[in-house]
Amino acid sequence: MTQETALDAELDEAQRVALDADVDVLQQGARTWAHLTVGQRATLLRALRTSVASAAEDWANTAADSKGLDRRHPLRGEEWLSGPYSVLGALDAYVDTLSKLADGRSPLDGVTVGRAPGGRTRVSAFPLTGLDRFLLSGFSGEVWLQPGITPNTARANAGLAQRSSDAAGGVGLVLGAGNITSIPVLDVLYELLAHNRVVLLKVNPTQDALVPVYERALAPLIAPGFLRIVRGGPEVGSYLTAHRDLVHVHITGSAATFDAIVWGASTGSEAQKAALRRQENRPLLHKPITAELGGVSPIILVPGEWSDADIAFQAEHVATMRLQNSGHNCIAGQVVVMSSEWAQAEQFRTALRRAYAAAPERPIWYPGSASRMQQAAEDYPDALVLADRLLVDVGDDQDATALQSTEYFAPVLGIVELPGTGQEFLDAAIAHANDQLQGTLGANLIIDPATEKSLGTGFERAIAELRYGSIAINSWTAFGFITPTLTWGAFPGNTLDDVGSGIGVVHNALLLDGVERSVVRGPFRPFPRWLAPGSLSLSRGTILPKPPWFVSSRTGSAVSEGLTRFRAHGSIAVLVRTLVQALRA
């Protein structure tokens, strides 16, 4: 008996009938979707925005409760930003793109398009509104297209499937992520708008509590048959991936799950068959698949002359990259790459230990994460245990292989050292990240403005060598995740046989074709320190003393909720109160 047959046998007849009925509704919905004009789709998204805004509070509270964050927990704000806030921003951006297309314009009208190193085109994709320029001053984002794509080609091709909106794309399957609540919804939107595919969304069992919220929030898509939402475990996923009437699969998850879908189980009696299929290039899955699968993300610290305040701020920044959502993020920073010749290395280590230990405690809630924590403790028995988290400082006599090849998906952070300073260190660190760390989803780099200036063109040349789908400079790649006009996905080049961090991109609300990567930049120093003499001429100005997503932000929860409520309803009074809270962070 094959794996698929064995799993299918666990589905009773009522489940099969219900799933088939959902697919039938969606097939009719696909025909209806193909008859909608781009302008009508923009109108539908406006209605969807209203329903998402109405469900935002219930959404954020349900998500926080499901993760064990009680009503007074200081990190509940994470669920506002990574849930409804992200979806509302995406809807606004998609409406703008569709409105331009409906008027016969390119989504890139009014957007700066220029050149990047290596024959690439860069699209200045954030900020695009005056409000974003104010609230998120100091932050910017670019999408770099693959070498050879010219600015004129980029403008002509922007719009993807919406340039032929009457071409029916059929019904696609989205296997939803289990860690971040906006991911399934953002993936649904991308299927609809980038590919003209209506969607059957199977939520991860960790998100079951949110299904009623999703159903209310996404009602404008459900009612006309553009979306159906189902629950279930691996047996439901197996039945649906093999369903003859579903034309495409998109998954956010692990490489092991991807391989099981494409090749078959890698354990038990089916392992040998799966290995033979892979060897003979005979995948089980006979339809296209795209995926976002995570990886081991580096945090490269370029040595410079940092003040005590710089060191404390950036230590909190690094701690946030690992500890947000208890480390249950595909984009969580895991390996800090430092220079062994940096005069302030030990000072930074001390600050990082302090920041890492001081962050609020929270449950390790994601299934399997406790065992991965145990694995990390066994891999590195001398790791420093700080509250509910591990800090691994890999010495000269230790092997960093486990740290650099295992996505722990838990609060485990490691430090490795390389020799050199300046350009020598930067080039070595980028080569190390490219060659030694598993995956190509996201990389983070922290550099002070004076050091970056001293490197000249060598800095951007080095960034061009960094083979990751999302790169953050003095920011965290999660900022790119919540910015809808940027793209999200692995660096191009992965295959079914060697999937790495995945295949394809999502988000991408400008509907750009031929994407290679997104590059985010943030301020090295927060408000008001960037105004100090000696910093002003080089620094990026920002109004934020501490970003609300920092796990150390005293008012992060209130600010995150306030920003979401303002994006949902546009109340100036809410914005003013939120800004006051932000200044108290």
Side-chain angles (χ1 to χ4, degrees):
M1 182 179 288
T2 67
Q3 180 202 27
E4 311 96 276
T5 306
L7 289 173
D8 289 354
E10 299 179 27
L11 282 178
D12 60 36
E13 185 63 21
Q15 286 178 297
R16 294 173 191 252
V17 169
L19 292 171
D20 289 346
D22 283 330
V23 174
D24 289 342
V25 169
L26 288 166
Q27 286 187 303
Q28 177 58 47
R31 292 188 285 270
T32 305
W33 179 259
H35 283 92
L36 293 184
T37 66
V38 174
Q40 288 171 325
R41 293 173 184 183
T43 299
L44 177 64
L45 292 193
R46 293 186 184 98
L48 183 61
R49 188 192 192 285
T50 299
S51 61
V52 169
S54 297
E57 181 172 2
D58 196 14
W59 183 332
N61 287 335
T62 301
D65 292 344
S66 72
K67 296 180 181 182
L69 303 177
D70 65 38
R71 295 302 169 107
R72 301 183 63 182
H73 199 284
L75 298 180
R76 280 179 72 91
E78 292 178 358
E79 300 310 314
W80 287 88
L81 285 184
S82 64
Y85 178 91
S86 296
V87 173
L88 288 165
L91 288 169
D92 288 340
Y94 279 127
V95 167
D96 185 67
T97 288
L98 294 183
S99 298
K100 287 179 177 178
L101 289 167
D103 291 340
R105 297 182 291 144
S106 166
L108 294 182
D109 278 6
V111 177
T112 301
V113 180
R115 292 292 193 174
R120 297 173 174 89
T121 288
R122 78 173 94 212
V123 177
S124 297
F126 182 86
L128 296 179
T129 69
L131 188 62
D132 282 339
R133 291 186 186 95
F134 171 66
L135 291 178
L136 294 167
S137 54
F139 291 88
S140 63
E142 301 172 344
V143 179
W144 289 18
L145 305 182
Q146 295 173 22
I149 297 176
T150 67
N152 285 341
T153 301
R155 292 186 184 278
N157 291 345
L160 296 180
Q162 298 311 300
R163 299 173 63 241
S164 302
S165 60
D166 58 347
V171 184
L173 172 66
V174 168
L175 300 174
N179 59 332
I180 297 295
T181 63
S182 63
I183 293 177
V185 181
L186 295 173
D187 291 348
V188 165
L189 292 175
Y190 199 64
E191 286 290 292
L192 280 167
L193 298 170
H195 303 293
N196 275 341
R197 283 192 288 264
V198 301
V199 179
L200 180 61
L201 167 63
K202 192 196 87 64
V203 298
N204 188 292
T206 64
Q207 306 282 4
D208 278 352
L210 272 162
V211 170
V213 180
Y214 286 154
E215 289 174 339
R216 292 198 307 274
L218 305 178
L221 296 180
I222 295 171
F226 303 148
L227 172 67
R228 283 294 183 271
I229 303 173
V230 299
R231 296 178 172 94
E235 71 283 357
V236 173
S238 178
Y239 180 72
L240 292 174
T241 54
H243 201 291
R244 66 179 182 274
D245 293 326
L246 298 179
V247 302
H248 182 273
V249 177
H250 177 78
I251 176 175
T252 299
S254 69
T257 301
F258 178 94
D259 286 344
I261 292 170
V262 174
W263 304 107
S266 60
T267 57
S269 61
E270 292 296 309
Q272 187 173 358
K273 294 178 183 178
L276 183 60
R277 288 189 201 100
R278 188 191 289 265
Q279 182 180 340
E280 297 176 351
N281 193 28
R282 294 186 295 107
L284 279 174
L285 188 69
H286 300 297
K287 63 190 69 171
I289 183 170
T290 52
E292 190 265 273
L293 305 174
V296 175
S297 294
I299 308 168
I300 298 171
L301 306 183
V302 182
E305 294 183 15
W306 296 9
S307 69
D308 292 348
D310 292 337
I311 286 177
F313 180 81
Q314 296 300 346
E316 293 175 20
H317 197 178
V318 171
T320 294
M321 295 181 196
R322 180 73 259 183
L323 296 179
Q324 200 270 354
N325 199 31
S326 199
H328 308 322
N329 288 330
C330 56
I331 202 60
Q334 181 165 306
V335 178
V336 179
V337 183
M338 294 175 58
S339 168
S340 59
E341 298 175 32
W342 186 23
Q344 295 175 292
E346 191 54 43
Q347 185 183 357
F348 185 85
R349 273 190 175 82
T350 300
L352 179 58
R353 287 193 291 268
R354 184 182 300 116
Y356 199 61
E361 292 191 41
R362 59 179 300 162
I364 297 172
W365 63 270
Y366 200 82
S369 290
S371 63
R372 285 188 288 273
M373 284 283 290
Q374 180 61 35
Q375 177 186 344
E378 293 172 0
D379 291 337
Y380 297 98
D382 295 330
L384 188 62
V385 180
L386 299 168
D388 55 350
R389 56 212 65 154
L390 293 180
L391 182 62
V392 180
D393 199 343
V394 180
D396 293 338
D397 58 343
Q398 288 182 295
D399 186 356
T401 300
L403 177 70
Q404 296 180 149
S405 62
T406 306
E407 184 187 8
Y408 288 115
F409 214 69
V412 178
L413 180 67
I415 302 172
V416 299
E417 283 192 336
L418 299 176
T421 59
Q423 191 73 51
E424 177 191 11
F425 169 79
L426 179 58
D427 291 344
I430 284 173
H432 187 86
N434 285 340
D435 300 336
Q436 302 300 321
L437 272 61
Q438 186 272 325
T440 61
L441 184 62
N444 312 276
L445 190 146
I446 298 175
I447 183 170
D448 68 90
T451 299
E452 181 178 346
K453 182 180 180 182
S454 72
L455 297 179
T457 58
F459 179 74
E460 190 159 79
R461 175 191 55 74
I463 296 302
E465 293 296 319
L466 195 51
R467 297 191 299 271
Y468 284 80
S470 183
I471 298 170
I473 303 161
N474 293 332
S475 182
W476 178 26
T477 43
F479 185 89
F481 171 88
I482 66 170
T483 303
T485 47
L486 298 178
T487 58
W488 191 250
F491 194 80
N494 294 327
T495 64
L496 292 183
D497 185 50
D498 184 11
V499 71
S501 288
I503 298 170
V505 299
V506 289
H507 304 184
N508 187 24
L510 293 173
L511 298 179
L512 301 172
D513 194 20
V515 169
E516 183 184 66
R517 72 183 86 189
S518 287
V519 181
V520 174
R521 292 177 181 263
F524 178 76
R525 295 184 176 95
F527 178 83
R529 288 195 297 107
W530 66 269
L531 293 167
S535 296
L536 185 58
S537 62
L538 296 175
S539 293
R540 288 171 161 251
T542 178
I543 65 170
L544 296 174
K546 186 176 292 186
W549 53 87
F550 270 40
V551 292
S552 55
S553 174
R554 292 187 304 161
T555 61
S557 184
V559 173
S560 298
E561 178 180 345
L563 288 173
T564 307
R565 291 187 183 278
F566 172 71
R567 183 168 281 281
H569 305 295
S571 169
I572 296 301
V574 168
L575 178 60
V576 171
R577 288 197 298 271
T578 301
L579 291 176
V580 171
Q581 292 277 31
L583 293 173
R584 297 178 53 242

